[in-house]
Amino acid sequence: MGDGDDPWPAVQLEAIERAAAAICRHHGWNERSVIGHLEWQPGKVDLRGFTISGMRERIAGRLKAATHTVRPGEMLYSIGALFDVSWPGIAVANNIRTPYRIYPGQELKIPKK
């Protein structure tokens, strides 16, 4: 219920983290773009049971991307399978509009799951 007495399930906290990170990634933002109710409008209250600063740390960790150098014959799909991430996520993280156009030697950012 977000009242401090009813704990947030881990899966729900992860969903908040993943959704916020995906929005940040899409817009090229970092974790500082994630704000709480109170930061937006004085007088409002933030949800209880987790802190905005703690959630920002989780989002920052998710936004830190690994990298991969494309090898001959690889496709975004095979690279995604290698890192257990979706190939569209790799395309978005690298601003690739034509997913079948990647080249050997190209350095790709691999987003966290």
Side-chain angles (χ1 to χ4, degrees):
M1 295 185 67
D3 60 7
D5 295 324
D6 187 28
W8 290 82
V11 68
Q12 194 168 14
L13 290 172
E14 183 182 356
I16 294 167
E17 173 190 335
R18 289 174 67 132
I23 292 167
C24 288
R25 218 179 268 115
H26 177 78
H27 290 287
W29 300 338
N30 62 33
E31 72 282 357
R32 291 187 313 268
S33 294
V34 177
I35 63 172
H37 294 103
L38 181 60
E39 294 168 311
W40 179 254
Q41 178 64 47
K44 286 194 168 207
V45 295
D46 283 332
L47 299 171
R48 296 184 195 114
F50 70 92
T51 65
I52 296 301
S53 61
M55 185 54 71
R56 279 192 196 110
E57 287 176 22
R58 292 173 65 142
I59 293 164
R62 189 168 289 277
L63 290 173
K64 289 181 184 170
T67 60
H68 175 75
T69 303
V70 178
R71 296 184 296 253
E74 286 187 316
M75 300 177 296
L76 288 182
Y77 179 82
S78 62
I79 296 167
L82 190 66
F83 288 92
D84 194 27
V85 297
S86 72
W87 70 262
I90 297 172
V92 168
N94 292 277
N95 200 26
I96 296 173
R97 288 184 166 63
T98 312
Y100 53 85
R101 286 195 178 163
I102 61 171
Y103 304 96
Q106 184 176 358
E107 192 77 16
L108 297 177
K109 292 183 231 170
I110 307 298
K112 286 187 136 190
K113 293 194 322 179

